[in-house]
Amino acid sequence: MLSTITSGAVYGVHSHLVQVEVDISQGLPCFQIVGLPGSEVREARERVKVALKNVGIKLPPTCININLSPADLPKNGTMFDLPVAVGIMIALGKLKQEAVEGTLLLGELGLSGELKPVRGVLPIAREAALGGVRRCILPVGNAWEGALIPEMESVGVRDVREAVALLAGEEVSAQGADRDENCPDAGDKPAAKVDSDGSGRRRNTSAVKVSTAGAAVSAAASIEEAAKAGKF
């Protein structure tokens, strides 16, 4: 079964959308990534396999082929871990392709399944919005960057299990909500959900949905500092 996930990459001073195509078929077990992947992208094979195993998702002994399109554009970084993992879940029939339509996915996976922040989210999210994408699913530490794009709904998740549950339409378990998620350090504290009017009223949920208005006020002043720190 074939699945396609929208992701992105930064190449030089330009950002590009990248389609992560995943096909799973019978044959000798393999896991290969093509489409000019850099060393960090090739290593995604091991991160994704172990991360899925550690959240209770065992990959069958099949042939997994992943293509990063356009194939003539060099791909570097670790932002493809999450789209590869979600693409595998769709190809296995665990999720529906419709669940990721109009959605940008970026994020690095730890071996425990934890999602870690990545660089380049802001320009990639902007490019995605110009291409008609209206939602992005990101590590919580990057959710504020996605929310700076007026047309984009930015949702932050802490691990691959939350991302899969969110795409499956399941209720995400409550984890507590005693902090302001509209800050660049959002990944370090418990999550909350902010109303779309930016009022800051909290609801019990594990994912982080950051409003554009709320994020713009608190994050815009931090862009220069974040850039110097290498966050994007």
Side-chain angles (χ1 to χ4, degrees):
M1 183 175 176
L2 177 68
S3 67
T4 303
I5 307 292
T6 299
S7 189
V10 176
Y11 182 59
V13 296
H14 300 287
S15 57
H16 302 270
L17 293 186
V18 174
Q19 300 302 315
V20 180
E21 301 171 331
V22 180
D23 180 79
I24 296 181
S25 58
Q26 298 298 320
L28 291 175
C30 68
F31 194 134
Q32 56 186 4
I33 302 176
V34 298
L36 284 185
S39 58
E40 303 99 329
V41 181
R42 289 193 297 270
E43 290 168 355
R45 297 175 298 183
E46 307 309 320
R47 289 193 297 271
V48 169
K49 284 192 297 185
V50 177
L52 290 178
K53 174 183 71 70
N54 285 333
V55 297
I57 302 169
K58 185 177 180 181
L59 298 182
T62 54
C63 185
I64 302 174
N65 291 294
I66 298 166
N67 179 50
L68 306 178
S69 176
D72 60 346
L73 179 71
K75 321 296 189 308
N76 294 292
T78 56
M79 70 277 293
F80 298 110
D81 291 7
L82 177 59
V84 165
V86 171
I88 289 174
M89 296 297 292
I90 295 174
L92 289 174
K94 306 293 185 181
L95 290 172
K96 295 182 179 180
Q97 178 67 45
E98 293 77 11
V100 295
E101 295 298 332
T103 301
L104 172 75
L105 284 87
L106 298 168
E108 175 185 340
L109 282 175
L111 297 185
S112 65
E114 172 194 7
L115 272 170
K116 302 179 180 181
V118 294
R119 298 181 180 182
V121 169
L122 184 57
I124 294 173
R126 180 179 180 276
E127 187 69 24
L130 293 174
V133 176
R134 293 294 176 261
R135 179 176 68 159
C136 56
I137 297 178
L138 309 166
V140 288
N142 292 123
W144 67 278
E145 294 180 70
L148 290 176
I149 308 303
E151 304 88 354
M152 188 74 70
E153 175 192 8
S154 181
V155 183
V157 291
R158 280 197 293 265
D159 56 43
V160 67
R161 193 188 334 233
E162 283 187 2
V164 171
L166 177 69
L167 291 168
E170 299 176 5
E171 188 72 22
V172 182
S173 60
Q175 299 290 335
D178 187 20
R179 57 92 174 171
D180 183 1
E181 69 283 2
N182 295 329
C183 297
D185 64 349
D188 301 329
K189 302 177 183 178
K193 184 175 182 178
V194 175
D195 290 341
S196 59
D197 62 0
S199 63
R201 294 192 299 273
R202 292 175 170 81
R203 300 171 182 171
N204 287 330
T205 178
S206 179
V208 179
K209 182 177 179 182
V210 184
S211 69
T212 300
V217 172
S218 60
S222 303
I223 292 179
E224 183 177 353
E225 180 182 349
K228 292 179 180 178
K231 289 190 176 183
F232 60 86

